[in-house]
Amino acid sequence: MPAIFPRWTNNIPLVVALAGPVVGAGLVGGVWYFFSPKFTDVGYRPVQPVPFSHKLHAGDMGMDCRYCHNTVERAAHAAIPATQTCMNCHKDLVKTDSPKLKLIRDSYESDQPVPWIRVHQLPDYAYFDHRPHLAAGVGCASCHGRIDQMAVVQMSQPLSMGWCLDCHRDPEPNLRPLDQITNMAWDSALEKYDPKADSARVRAVNPPEHCSGCHR
Amino acid sequence: MTRVNLIHAALLGALGAGLVGCQGNRSDVPPVHLIQNMDFQKRFDPQESNDFFRARDCADEVAAEDAAVAEAVAKGEHPPLVERTCWARAMRPPPFGTVAVGHLKDDDHLHRGRGTDGRLADSLPRAIELSEALMKRGEQRYNIYCQPCHDYTGGGQGIATLRGGGFKIQPPSYHIDRLRAMPLGYFYEVITNGKGTMGSYAAQIPAEDRWAIAVWVRTLQVSRTKGGK
């Protein structure tokens, strides 16, 4: 009587024993690496409708972030500047008829918003407010990277819950003097800053680690 | 045989990983939300667009779209895909002339820089007190909002004025006799309403900070006339 299983099936247990762990580890590793916001989110760099460059305005010309994102210390949302803000310079003073600024001029005339594409976006169930962070002396660069070197804004941090908590559990290394929050070049390694010894601070910072702090 | 397959599989895996890239790669593809959950809820965030108001804000474009669709339908064709250029705001701009509670701005001195006689005031409004903190605030705000054009010392040679072919009109120095003679309220008024080619900064800077900046401008002037120079 012929064998029910051909001879090669003898190898199955061996192959499964050898390949199983490899495939399993590959799957786990793949999920760990590719499903992380460090992969899905970091580096997102949409093409904006107007080729506005932070490298030129904030980097080379050294404009303070708050000239344009002027609500950042006053509201949860760090507003994208109104067209009027660009027109302070581009209406009568400089590059007044650059083709790159056509959309800005159109928007100024028609009073329609410029359709800037949003780069950073938390899920709607997470609560974030710029104010307490800036009041505590966390710099823009800690969360947005070296914006002053970006010709096109890109996400440089994953904005994941783990990332928020890493800082909330140990905020001290990320704190800086309160008047340096928009200074992109401020380097904690060089400055040896001690928040506890800073007389401008009225209280110790206390970031929430309980769920309802960020899921309200 | 199995060894060759394994090598193939490994190569295929490596190729796949290579194709999708590494962590932190630049990309203009929006972040993938692997598990949607409640990431995007039926609500509007600040500065988002809202199609509900399109018919009103983008009447021209909507009419053009409707006409294009009607034409295609009449011809029995597929309606064309039109690229949008107009978006309606979810944050509705208030109707013209609306005044929010507590924002009547009825203090002429604080909000218009003018005294009861209607002339520009040369003093701070009563609600604001001259102090070191006020001057520090003024310096900081000046360096944010004015320094790009007027430079740190008020000479009118700010870095933005020197680039891209230069400004069509150079800001004046604060240290000319005409501006030295101006009352404090004048600087407040220029910041609030703009002057000539300089735009209004009322939307960017709250009234209290505008006074702090005016104080700093005066400080810069005084530093060159008394003691300095």
Side-chain angles (χ1 to χ4, degrees):
Chain A
M1 145 176 167
I4 299 175
F5 296 105
R7 183 164 278 274
W8 63 263
T9 52
N10 286 349
N11 285 334
I12 287 180
L14 187 69
V15 169
V16 167
L18 284 179
V22 173
V23 171
L27 276 179
V28 172
V31 168
W32 171 77
Y33 188 85
F34 290 115
F35 285 25
S36 156
K38 287 187 193 144
F39 177 76
T40 57
D41 291 27
V42 174
Y44 174 46
R45 194 176 69 157
V47 179
Q48 299 288 350
V50 177
F52 170 77
S53 163
H54 280 82
K55 184 171 179 303
L56 170 67
H57 291 82
D60 300 353
M61 296 204 290
M63 288 176 69
D64 194 288
C65 314
R66 290 165 287 188
Y67 184 97
C68 292
H69 304 291
N70 60 320
T71 65
V72 71
E73 292 169 308
R74 286 185 273 135
H77 182 73
I80 300 299
T83 307
Q84 167 67 48
T85 309
C86 312
M87 283 313 228
N88 284 340
C89 288
H90 292 300
K91 184 164 169 245
D92 296 319
L93 295 170
V94 68
K95 297 270 178 201
T96 47
D97 36 36
S98 163
K100 294 188 189 158
L101 283 157
K102 180 172 182 306
L103 208 61
I104 298 285
R105 290 192 298 270
D106 289 352
S107 153
Y108 185 72
E109 240 143 59
S110 64
D111 200 24
Q112 289 297 332
V114 178
W116 299 110
I117 296 165
R118 194 163 177 179
V119 187
H120 300 76
Q121 184 161 27
L122 289 176
D124 282 351
Y125 53 73
Y127 168 85
F128 180 80
D129 187 334
H130 275 93
R131 276 170 298 185
H133 291 96
L134 299 178
V138 183
C140 314
S142 304
C143 302
H144 294 299
R146 288 301 296 265
I147 292 273
D148 65 326
Q149 296 174 352
M150 299 179 193
V152 181
V153 180
Q154 73 174 62
M155 272 177 82
S156 66
Q157 299 292 340
L159 303 194
S160 63
M161 177 163 147
W163 173 76
C164 306
L165 284 173
D166 278 347
C167 177
H168 279 203
R169 291 195 175 116
D170 180 20
E172 303 243 312
N174 292 300
L175 301 182
R176 45 175 84 193
L178 300 178
D179 54 1
Q180 299 294 330
I181 47 175
T182 55
N183 182 349
M184 295 280 120
W186 196 88
D187 185 348
S188 60
L190 297 176
E191 304 283 342
K192 304 257 180 323
Y193 171 68
D194 179 11
K196 288 199 200 72
D198 184 349
S199 62
R201 291 178 178 273
V202 282
R203 63 178 179 86
V205 298
N206 183 20
E209 285 172 47
H210 52 88
C211 318
S212 57
C214 308
H215 303 293
R216 333 189 143 183
Chain B
M1 155 77 183
T2 49
R3 210 177 45 209
V4 173
N5 277 348
L6 271 179
I7 292 173
H8 280 170
L11 280 179
L12 212 69
L15 183 74
L19 279 179
V20 290
C22 298
Q23 286 188 352
N25 268 10
R26 286 171 178 175
S27 154
D28 56 8
V29 184
V32 182
H33 289 251
L34 295 158
I35 305 167
Q36 288 276 330
N37 288 350
M38 303 210 299
D39 287 9
F40 304 104
Q41 298 167 19
K42 288 212 177 288
R43 68 151 209 238
F44 293 96
D45 287 356
Q47 297 191 313
E48 278 184 353
S49 68
N50 182 346
D51 277 355
F52 185 76
F53 297 106
R54 244 174 85 72
R56 178 179 183 151
D57 286 13
C58 309
D60 295 349
E61 194 174 293
V62 171
E65 270 169 29
D66 288 350
V69 170
E71 196 188 308
V73 169
K75 282 197 209 143
E77 286 169 5
H78 206 69
L81 264 181
V82 227
E83 203 194 331
R84 276 195 189 181
T85 57
C86 175
W87 306 84
R89 295 174 170 91
M91 288 160 86
R92 302 307 296 162
F96 181 76
T98 316
V99 177
V101 174
H103 289 258
L104 186 54
K105 304 194 176 149
D106 51 355
D107 182 339
D108 265 350
H109 195 166
L110 178 62
H111 292 290
R112 268 169 283 281
R114 288 174 187 275
T116 39
D117 53 0
R119 291 214 299 211
L120 287 170
D122 200 16
S123 59
L124 282 171
R126 213 170 301 146
I128 300 173
E129 212 176 302
L130 186 62
S131 63
E132 199 191 329
L134 184 77
M135 288 176 62
K136 283 237 167 79
R137 177 84 182 167
E139 177 182 13
Q140 190 205 34
R141 296 291 123 172
Y142 176 89
N143 290 345
I144 295 173
Y145 294 108
C146 319
Q147 169 274 123
C149 300
H150 287 276
D151 82 34
Y152 287 102
T153 62
Q157 305 280 324
I159 183 155
T161 68
L162 307 174
R163 302 189 50 121
F167 268 21
K168 301 231 160 90
I169 291 166
Q170 194 72 16
S173 163
Y174 297 148
H175 311 293
I176 56 175
D177 289 339
R178 179 173 66 84
L179 289 178
R180 275 193 189 135
M182 287 296 180
L184 190 66
Y186 181 72
F187 301 108
Y188 177 85
E189 199 192 54
V190 172
I191 307 173
T192 309
N193 301 322
K195 171 94 192 177
T197 49
M198 175 178 147
S200 155
Y201 282 77
Q204 272 158 279
I205 316 177
E208 286 74 13
D209 283 347
R210 278 177 252 156
W211 280 107
I213 294 175
V215 167
W216 185 249
V217 171
R218 173 85 344 135
T219 312
L220 289 173
Q221 291 180 325
V222 171
S223 74
R224 290 248 188 130
T225 45
K226 312 201 177 104
K229 196 161 195 182

